[in-house]
Amino acid sequence: MEMLRKDRMLNQGETIDILNRSEYGILSTVGKDNAPYGVPLNFAYVEGVIYFHCAKANGYKIINIINNSNVCFTVVDDVCLQPEILSTKYKSAILFGKISIVEDIEEKKKGLEALIKKLSPEYMEVGMKCIDKNTDKTYILKMEVAEMTGKGKK
C-alpha cells in the first residue's frame, strides 16, 4: 500500500531503529468471521523476521493465525503530544507479512534468545537456563516481513 504523506516517510534504517528500540507493538490478525483482532506483544526483530512468544493456548490470536497467516504489526515510538498546536510528534513502523508457529526447536530457541537479548540483556544467563527448561512450554511465532514502512512527524 502506498503511503499518502511521503514527506513523513522514514528510510529503512530509521524504521529498523524503531523496531530495535521499541518494547512492544500491536499484532493484527483476522478471524474466520473476518473480524479484526489486535493484541499488544513484546517482540524482537532479527534480519527481516519478527519473533513473538506466547503461551501454548488456542486463544483468538493462535486460532486466527492457524486460519489466516496474513498479519500486520504496528509499532509507535517517540510519541510527544503537542497540545498547543493540536498535533503529535511520533515515529511509527508498519509491517505486513505472514506468520507461523515455529516448530523447529533450534529456531524456537533462536527466537527466545533474541527476545531475551532485546528485553532483558542483563539477565542472559538466567534467560538461557529458562529457555532450556521451558522451550517446549511456549509458542514462538515468526512473522516473515514482506513489506515495512516507517513514518514520522517532527
Side-chain angles (χ1 to χ4, degrees), residues 13-129:
E14 292 170 309
T15 304
I16 290 172
D17 284 345
I18 293 168
L19 298 174
N20 289 332
R21 274 195 320 268
S22 300
E23 295 175 0
Y24 73 94
I26 306 298
L27 179 68
S28 298
T29 62
V30 178
K32 279 186 188 180
D33 57 357
N34 288 324
Y37 179 70
V39 61
L41 293 172
N42 292 116
F43 70 97
Y45 175 79
V46 181
E47 301 170 357
V49 170
I50 301 279
Y51 287 107
F52 308 96
H53 78 290
C54 62
K56 271 194 168 178
N58 287 344
Y60 286 126
K61 173 179 64 234
I62 297 300
I63 291 168
N64 289 354
I65 287 168
I66 290 168
N67 288 302
N68 185 342
S69 64
N70 294 307
V71 293
C72 178
F73 186 60
T74 304
V75 177
V76 180
D77 189 39
D78 281 344
V79 176
C80 178
L81 293 176
Q82 298 173 310
E84 68 282 359
I85 59 171
L86 306 175
S87 189
T88 304
K89 179 185 124 183
Y90 67 92
K91 290 182 182 174
S92 65
I94 299 178
L95 297 82
F96 295 93
K98 297 230 180 243
I99 197 166
S100 60
I101 299 170
V102 175
E103 301 292 341
D104 179 76
I105 295 296
E106 291 308 310
E107 186 166 13
K108 283 180 82 169
K109 288 180 179 181
K110 176 183 175 181
L112 286 167
E113 188 174 338
L115 286 158
I116 293 168
K117 279 182 184 174
K118 179 179 182 183
L119 302 170
S120 299
E122 62 279 4
Y123 299 102
M124 283 306 296
E125 187 176 327
V126 172
M128 295 308 288
K129 288 178 184 173

